[in-house]
């Protein structure tokens, strides 16, 4: 505030009472009223009223000072005329003043009762209001004021009018400063500026900055308002929606649904994490539109979770005698299996904490694996559920899909738990050897987690998400063979083998279990339908060929069905099923047992195979023709079987002299090895000696004994190596009417496993070398059967006999 005051501006110097103002600056021309409370101020007013009614108004620099000295006041103030005085209740006075002109404080004269001060009264300096500069300023101010009223609080029309019409630069500045909201310092600055043009210039600046602040404020205010508006709008819409839903009768539904879910969750007495997770989902549901897709997803999820047996459990009846009785009652034979099950449960009873191995029943179909598992569950008083793993390629089948996928569902394990409705059921995992793995993940890995007692107490299904305790479940698995079970899984399992049944066993099972069961299931009674024992035997041998009894049961069921139908049609009395009637019940017999050929033939040998459905006989045929040494293998053979054929040929070439085979047979003969029933894929090394025998028989033109069958792997040096599945293979051979079976010496120990009936009727010849095989299998030259030579051309036999060293060769083989 650098006001240089020219001497001519000072109109006069006066001594007048002074009123110190707090928070107010009065400008010349301004009418204002304010309240006065301080004693000195009231005394000053009184004094002024007594004389000229003029008073000096100077603003205090610091509002807190109660009794200001001259230094506490601004240098510039106003001389004002008192227009009105009003006594207010409680010693206060309201005064109305009008600013007259600017004044500069020279100092206080006295300040005892009131302040009497000396001040210079200042005139407005002369300005040329018409000058371009002044006009520009006025215009600028008016424009600024225009902008100002756009953002400022409402302004009276009169004020606007005055500002638009006032022409005097200084007065205009004072008028604007008096009528807009300015803070104390800014208004004082205007008052202190004596030069009118500079004052107006300053006023324009102040206006502009005020506009800026105001528009900022306005922005902020509108943003805040927008936010509030949005909240209010949402609230309003939601309230409306509620009412609409109520009108439609839906709103209550979701609310009552939510409450139902909450109640069900509370009833389940879940642990912390699970409970929280489910309640969170319920919370989400409550905020959703009832019919929306999302709400449906949540409902499906909650329903799936609530259907699980989180806390339901059955009490185990670990009475071993009871278990044994139950197993005996439900199943014939299988003594070893039952014994091992009882032992297994005994260990479980003694060490309940010890989770132990998982039982795995291995054997061909229909031998009772499933039904034993069911018996175990019944005997223990546990619930039972079964799930088939056959053909599962996708990990998600076991573990489920994440619930964010459309149509996602829990995996099979969780489904089995839901089915069982108890957290400690017996779960049968069928066909664990038939799981495959591909790009969709490895189901075996998921199974490993299910079966591993270290991990399965917190099994996480992708859909259910929260962990589920599987540690109390008793898992039992079944498989046809163990070869294809992944090793880590196999390590966790205790394998119990169930072999195929012989005819006698099948007959007993049929008599004791299958027939009564089927009669019962078909609503008949033992008095209305009876099976002759011979008829059962005929069904077993003529109508079924299997390791187990599944087809047998089906055939019996078929007979029962026909008998039931006849009964309903009015047939009275007892129906007996005899051998003679079987054809009318089941059609003509499918299998004729004695299908081993009755003649010794050249180049045809009976081998033995082991498939997942039990043992079977396998004919191998060889033809040798004039040619260039081509070898052809047909009959759907696998790689291992083809290699066996080459090994056999290699052996024959290396022993050509000894065997009496033409040295160049592999150059001038074409060999064709065929295994009939080409539709069935065959593989494995155990046909090695069979192929070698067929080849030698063909190349030496010696017939092979028709009642001999063989199994064994061959090495290129003619050693015979052991094979698997002897029990099943020997049973198939027996059924086919074979009298002698050549087996590798290494399998001698397996003979104890062979069914006693088979052992009684078939002789086993253990061998270590190919020479021994030939000795047993080939018909000695002299005895070469007439039929055989009869089938071939006469000349063949003649050529054979004509060979001078024929005898010597046969002797060599017999050595
Ligand atoms: P798997 O599971 O081995 O394929 P199942 O358990 O389904 O065989 O058995 C097929 C049928 O044969 C069932 O009805 C079962 O009761 C019956 N069965 C199998 N073995 C016996 C047995 N030893 N005693 C009584 N019934 C048996």
């Amino acid at each position: 505030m650098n006001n240089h005051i020219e001497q001519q501006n000072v109109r006069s110097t006066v001594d007048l009472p002074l009123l110190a103002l707090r928070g107010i600056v009065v400008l010349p021309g301004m009418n204002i009223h304010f309240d006065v409370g301080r004693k000195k101020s009231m005394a000053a007013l009184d004094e002024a009223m007594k004389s000229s009614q003029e008073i000096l108004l100077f603003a205090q620099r610091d509002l807190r000072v109660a009794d200001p000295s001259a230094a506490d006041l601004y240098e510039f103030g106003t001389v004002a005329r008192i227009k009105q005085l009003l006594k207010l209740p409680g010693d206060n006075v309201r005064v109305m003043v009008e600013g007259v002109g600017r004044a500069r404080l020279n100092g206080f004269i006295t300040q005892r009762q009131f302040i009497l001060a000396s001040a210079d009264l200042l005139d407005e300096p002369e300005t040329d209001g018409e000058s371009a500069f002044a006009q520009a300023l006025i215009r600028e101010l008016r424009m600024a004021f225009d902008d100002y009223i756009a953002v400022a609080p409402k302004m009276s029309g009169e004020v606007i009018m005055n500002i638009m019409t006032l022409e005097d630069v200084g007065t205009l500045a004072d008028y604007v400063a008096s009528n807009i909201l300015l803070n104390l310092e800014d208004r004082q600055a205007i008052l202190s500026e004596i030069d009118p043009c500079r004052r107006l210039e300053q006023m324009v600046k102040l206006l502009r900055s005020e506009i800026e602040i105001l528009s900022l404020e306005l922005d902020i205010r509108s943003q805040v308002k927008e936010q509030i508006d949005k909240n209010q709008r949402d609230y309003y819409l939601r309230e409306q929606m509620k009412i609409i839903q109520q009108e439609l009768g839906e709103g209550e539904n979701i609310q009552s649904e939510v409450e139902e879910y909450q109640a069900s969750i509370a009833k389940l007495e879940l642990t912390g994490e699970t409970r929280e997770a489910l309640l969170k989902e319920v919370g989400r549901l409550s905020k959703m539109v009832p019919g929306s897709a999302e709400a449906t997803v949540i409902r499906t999820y909650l329903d799936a979770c609530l259907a699980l047996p989180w806390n339901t459990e059955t009490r185990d009846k670990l009475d071993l005698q009871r278990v044994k009785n139950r197993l005996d009652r439900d199943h014939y034979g299988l003594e070893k299996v039952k014994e091992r099950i009882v032992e297994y449960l005994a260990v479980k009873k003694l060490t309940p904490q010890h989770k132990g191995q998982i039982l795995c029943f291995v054997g061909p179909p229909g031998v009772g694996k499933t039904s034993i598992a069911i018996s175990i569950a019944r005997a223990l008083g546990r619930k039972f559920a079964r799930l088939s793993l056959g053909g599962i390629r996708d990990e998600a089948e076991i573990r489920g899909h994440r619930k964010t996928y459309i149509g996602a569902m829990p995996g099979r394990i969780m489904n089995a738990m839901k089915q069982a409705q108890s957290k400690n059921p017996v779960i049968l995992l069928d066909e664990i050897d038939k799981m495959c793995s591909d790009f969709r993940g490895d189901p075996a890995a998921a199974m490993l987690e299910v079966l591993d007692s270290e991990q399965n107490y917190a099994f996480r299904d992708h859909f259910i998400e929260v962990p589920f305790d599987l540690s109390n479940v008793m898992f039992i698995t079944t498989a046809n063979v163990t070869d294809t079970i992944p090793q880590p899984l196999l390590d966790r399992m205790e394998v119990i083998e169930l072999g195929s049944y012989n005819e006698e066993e099948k007959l007993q099972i049929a008599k004791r279990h299958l027939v009564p069961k089927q009669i019962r299931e078909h609503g008949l009674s033992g008095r209305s339908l009876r099976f002759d024992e011979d008829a059962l035997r005929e069904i077993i041998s003529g109508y079924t060929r299997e390791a187990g009894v599944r087809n047998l049961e089906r055939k019996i069921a078929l007979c029962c069905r026909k008998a039931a139908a006849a009964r309903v049609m009015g047939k009275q009395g007892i129906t007996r099923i005899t051998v003679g009637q079987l054809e009318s019940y089941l059609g003509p017999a499918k299998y004729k047992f004695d299908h081993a050929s009755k003649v010794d033939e050249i180049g045809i040998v009976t081998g033995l195979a082991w498939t997942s459905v039990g043992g079977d006989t396998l004919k191998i045929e060889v033809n040798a023709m004039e040619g260039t040494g081509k070898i052809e293998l047909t009959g759907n053979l696998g790689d291992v079987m083809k290699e066996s054929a080459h090994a056999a040929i290699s052996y024959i070439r290396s022993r050509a002299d000894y065997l009496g085979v033409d040295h160049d047979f592999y150059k001038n003969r074409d060999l064709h090895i065929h295994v009939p029933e080409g539709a069935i894929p065959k593989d494995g090394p155990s046909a090695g000696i069979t192929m070698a025998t067929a080849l030698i028989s063909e190349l030496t033109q010696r017939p092979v004994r028709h009642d001999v069958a063989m199994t064994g792997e061959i090495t290129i040096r003619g050693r015979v190596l052991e094979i698997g599945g002897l029990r099943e293979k020997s049973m198939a051979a027996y059924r086919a009417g074979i009298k002698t079976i050549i087996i590798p010496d290494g399998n001698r120990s397996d003979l104890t496993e062979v069914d006693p009936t088979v052992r009684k009727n078939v002789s086993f010849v253990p061998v270590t070398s190919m020479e021994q095989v030939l000795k047993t299998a080939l018909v000695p030259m002299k005895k070469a059967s007439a039929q055989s030579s009869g089938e071939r051309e006469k000349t063949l036999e003649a050529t054979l006999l004509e060979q001078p060293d024929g005898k010597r060769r046969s002797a060599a083989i017999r050595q």
Side-chain angles (χ1 to χ4, degrees):
M1 226 173 298
N2 243 339
N3 281 308
H4 173 69
I5 300 165
E6 310 258 339
Q7 204 50 49
Q8 65 262 30
N9 287 343
V10 179
R11 193 198 319 153
S12 56
T13 302
V14 291
D15 297 342
L16 282 174
L18 183 143
L19 207 120
L21 297 176
R22 291 199 282 194
I24 304 171
V25 172
V26 179
L27 286 156
M30 185 174 170
N31 284 303
I32 187 173
H33 57 79
F34 50 86
D35 295 351
V36 178
R38 286 188 279 191
K39 279 221 170 71
K40 274 189 186 172
S41 302
M42 289 207 274
L45 282 174
D46 282 346
E47 183 59 29
M49 287 307 283
K50 275 184 221 156
S51 52
S52 63
Q53 299 186 355
E54 284 193 333
I55 191 161
L56 293 170
L57 301 174
F58 278 80
Q60 266 178 238
R61 289 175 199 272
D62 185 351
L63 307 189
R64 288 164 300 185
V65 179
D67 186 13
S69 64
D72 290 325
L73 302 179
Y74 282 108
E75 188 187 358
F76 289 91
T78 321
V79 59
R81 183 171 300 119
I82 300 168
K83 292 178 95 178
Q84 209 177 32
L85 264 184
L86 204 68
K87 291 251 178 232
L88 292 179
D91 284 353
N92 276 6
V93 175
R94 177 162 294 168
V95 57
M96 171 114 173
V97 295
E98 183 192 3
V100 176
R102 285 181 163 70
R104 192 174 64 175
L105 189 62
N106 290 329
F108 289 180
I109 299 168
T110 81
Q111 54 172 320
R112 220 170 293 141
Q113 284 177 343
F114 62 92
I115 302 169
L116 183 69
S118 153
D120 292 336
L121 299 185
L122 305 176
D123 273 339
E124 279 285 271
E126 286 288 310
T127 38
D128 180 4
E130 299 301 312
S131 77
F133 181 59
Q135 284 303 313
L137 273 177
I138 293 174
R139 234 182 257 178
E140 180 60 31
L141 179 112
R142 288 194 180 136
M143 267 177 349
F145 188 74
D146 248 0
D147 293 346
Y148 179 80
I149 49 179
V151 291
K154 241 181 159 16
M155 184 108 2
S156 83
E158 189 197 339
V159 173
I160 299 172
M161 186 61 127
N162 285 341
I163 291 176
M164 291 304 157
T165 51
L166 270 175
E167 285 300 332
D168 183 69
V169 181
T171 318
L172 184 59
D174 287 344
Y175 188 76
V176 174
S178 323
N179 285 290
I180 66 169
L181 280 171
L182 281 181
N183 61 29
L184 186 70
E185 276 93 41
D186 289 342
R187 200 170 268 168
Q188 181 67 45
I190 295 293
L191 181 63
S192 308
E193 185 54 68
I194 306 300
D195 182 82
C197 280
R198 277 211 298 263
R199 192 188 305 155
L200 194 60
E201 203 181 333
Q202 181 132 2
M203 193 58 237
V204 172
K205 273 190 210 153
L206 281 175
L207 254 185
R208 285 280 171 219
S209 91
E210 202 59 19
I211 291 168
E212 201 125 297
I213 293 170
L214 278 175
S215 51
L216 259 179
E217 261 181 23
L218 215 66
D219 266 3
I220 294 171
R221 204 177 310 149
S222 75
Q223 274 175 21
V224 171
K225 189 166 164 347
E226 247 171 51
Q227 190 59 41
I228 293 173
D229 281 357
K230 187 180 172 327
N231 288 346
Q232 268 179 345
R233 184 174 155 272
D234 287 0
Y235 172 78
Y236 177 71
L237 286 177
R238 219 172 270 134
E239 287 299 300
Q240 259 188 339
M241 192 170 77
K242 258 193 215 160
I243 291 172
I244 294 171
Q245 280 172 356
Q246 267 166 18
E247 287 293 315
L248 291 172
E250 284 172 352
E252 280 169 42
N253 275 354
I254 206 152
Q255 205 41 49
S256 62
E257 211 182 340
V258 163
E259 279 162 19
E260 257 169 52
Y261 278 128
Q262 281 164 341
S264 319
I265 292 168
K267 224 189 280 167
L268 285 180
E269 294 173 10
L270 299 169
T271 52
E273 186 191 349
T274 317
R275 223 176 81 94
E276 306 271 281
L278 296 190
L279 286 177
K280 200 169 134 204
E281 290 297 317
V282 175
R284 283 184 53 207
L285 179 66
S286 67
K287 288 192 204 99
M288 285 190 178
V289 182
S292 69
E294 263 192 311
T296 315
V297 169
I298 297 186
R299 258 183 229 124
T300 320
Y301 172 73
L302 287 171
D303 290 342
C305 288
L306 292 176
L308 290 175
W310 296 94
N311 273 321
T312 349
E313 210 171 347
T314 52
R315 276 260 293 285
D316 274 357
K317 301 177 192 143
L318 265 178
D319 176 353
L320 293 187
Q321 193 53 47
R322 188 187 135 96
V323 174
K324 191 159 177 355
N325 291 347
R326 179 95 229 178
L327 289 175
D328 281 340
R329 200 163 70 208
D330 292 349
H331 296 93
Y332 170 82
L334 300 173
E335 296 310 331
K336 261 200 196 157
V337 176
K338 292 177 191 164
E339 206 176 296
R340 282 189 68 181
I341 292 170
V342 171
E343 285 164 11
Y344 174 86
L345 294 175
V347 174
K348 228 180 163 46
K349 184 173 181 175
L350 291 178
T351 52
Q353 296 316 317
H354 177 69
K355 298 288 177 214
Q357 299 281 71
I358 281 146
L359 286 179
C360 177
F361 296 141
V362 177
V367 291
K369 300 183 295 292
T370 312
S371 68
I372 286 221
I374 296 176
S375 284
I376 295 177
R378 278 209 205 124
L380 293 177
R382 288 193 181 205
K383 297 271 169 71
F384 179 83
R386 169 183 172 175
L387 70 100
S388 177
L389 298 174
I392 287 191
R393 291 163 181 281
D394 193 350
E395 189 196 353
E397 294 252 4
I398 290 173
R399 236 187 230 291
H401 285 283
R402 299 206 177 284
K403 68 171 182 281
T404 39
Y405 290 112
I406 293 178
M409 281 197 309
R412 296 202 189 189
I413 297 285
M414 286 296 117
N415 260 337
M417 293 309 291
K418 177 179 149 191
Q419 234 179 59
Q421 274 310 307
S422 132
K423 66 182 227 184
N424 61 341
V426 171
I427 290 191
L428 183 72
L429 304 167
D430 236 350
E431 302 193 308
I432 198 159
D433 55 334
K434 305 252 166 33
M435 272 189 313
C436 334
S437 74
D438 66 4
F439 63 93
R440 278 168 292 191
D442 185 2
M447 275 323 293
L448 208 59
E449 204 186 311
V450 171
L451 297 182
D452 186 354
S453 56
E454 299 293 319
Q455 298 182 46
N456 68 6
Y457 64 88
F459 174 75
R460 263 178 213 270
D461 182 280
H462 287 324
F463 184 81
I464 303 289
E465 283 179 352
V466 283
F468 191 91
D469 183 4
L470 292 176
S471 63
N472 298 310
V473 178
M474 177 172 178
F475 288 105
I476 298 180
T477 59
T478 78
N480 290 138
V481 288
T482 50
D483 316 2
T484 49
I485 304 179
Q487 194 60 40
L489 275 178
L490 196 58
D491 288 346
R492 284 180 172 66
M493 300 195 282
E494 178 166 346
V495 173
I496 298 185
E497 290 201 22
L498 285 83
S500 26
Y501 295 120
N502 63 25
E503 273 173 41
E504 195 51 39
E505 284 169 332
K506 286 185 186 173
L507 179 68
Q508 293 305 328
I509 294 172
K511 269 190 2 196
R512 293 168 199 228
H513 298 279
L514 306 181
V515 169
K517 180 170 147 200
Q518 290 305 328
I519 287 184
R520 213 170 38 243
E521 280 181 11
H522 285 82
L524 301 165
S525 73
R527 262 180 268 129
S528 51
L529 177 66
R530 217 170 269 168
F531 282 80
D532 268 12
E533 195 170 308
D534 283 347
L536 287 175
R537 275 187 206 283
E538 178 57 19
I539 298 177
I540 292 166
S541 60
Y543 290 86
T544 63
R545 167 147 315 155
E546 56 176 348
V549 292
R550 206 174 270 176
N551 279 327
L552 175 59
E553 188 171 14
R554 255 181 234 145
K555 298 288 172 199
I556 293 172
L558 189 56
C559 294
C560 293
R561 208 152 60 227
K562 295 223 154 124
R567 216 175 175 74
V568 174
M569 309 281 260
K571 187 173 183 305
Q572 300 282 321
I574 192 162
T575 309
R576 267 187 61 196
I577 296 187
T578 61
V579 180
Q581 288 167 342
L582 273 183
E583 230 177 283
S584 66
Y585 278 91
L586 303 173
K590 265 205 209 139
Y591 306 103
K592 289 282 172 254
F593 242 151
D594 216 1
H595 71 312
S597 35
K598 295 245 165 44
V599 291
D600 302 334
E601 284 179 276
I602 294 170
I604 300 184
V605 185
T606 310
L608 295 173
W610 181 40
T611 64
S612 59
V613 293
D616 204 355
T617 56
L618 190 75
K619 292 264 175 190
I620 293 186
E621 300 178 351
V622 172
N623 265 346
M625 299 144 287
E626 292 291 326
T628 54
K630 276 188 287 200
I631 297 165
E632 201 169 343
L633 295 154
T634 53
N636 208 345
L637 311 185
D639 286 344
V640 179
M641 202 139 169
K642 285 181 187 160
E643 281 173 13
S644 286
H646 287 288
I649 291 169
S650 174
Y651 162 75
I652 296 168
R653 279 180 63 188
S654 72
R655 304 285 290 172
D657 269 345
Y658 171 75
L659 297 171
V661 173
D662 175 9
H663 273 264
D664 292 333
F665 80 91
Y666 66 97
K667 282 194 219 150
N668 52 27
R669 292 293 194 84
D670 281 351
L671 296 175
H672 185 174
I673 303 173
H674 179 65
V675 188
E677 297 188 48
I680 304 166
K682 308 166 194 86
D683 204 7
S686 74
I689 60 168
T690 323
M691 281 194 278
T693 310
L695 281 165
I696 294 166
S697 155
E698 175 69 11
L699 290 171
T700 60
Q701 292 295 307
R702 283 164 184 272
V704 181
R705 277 172 55 188
H706 68 270
D707 56 354
V708 171
M710 59 186 73
T711 176
E713 184 176 350
I714 187 174
T715 72
I716 54 172
R717 306 298 293 266
R719 281 184 302 127
V720 178
L721 303 183
E722 61 200 78
I723 44 79
L726 188 59
R727 181 186 150 92
E728 264 72 27
K729 285 177 175 173
S730 61
M731 206 172 287
Y734 164 67
R735 268 190 245 131
I738 297 291
K739 296 282 179 294
T740 308
I741 303 179
I742 301 174
I743 59 163
D745 196 56
N747 283 103
R748 210 187 265 267
S749 57
D750 296 339
L751 284 173
T752 48
E753 300 275 314
V754 170
D755 190 82
T757 331
V758 177
R759 247 185 323 196
K760 211 164 66 198
N761 293 295
V762 177
S763 68
F764 288 83
V765 181
V767 297
T768 53
S769 70
M770 201 52 217
E771 285 82 58
Q772 291 169 313
V773 175
L774 297 174
K775 210 160 128 186
T776 314
L778 293 183
V779 180
M781 201 62 153
K782 272 187 293 183
K783 284 200 225 158
S785 82
Q787 291 113 306
S788 143
S789 47
E791 273 167 20
R792 302 199 169 222
E793 291 118 55
K794 272 266 174 321
T795 51
L796 191 62
E797 195 200 342
T799 349
L800 254 176
L801 289 172
E802 270 163 26
Q803 284 194 357
D805 54 346
K807 265 202 172 118
R808 195 171 48 77
R809 260 189 311 168
S810 67
I813 290 170
R814 255 183 272 122
Q815 270 169 10

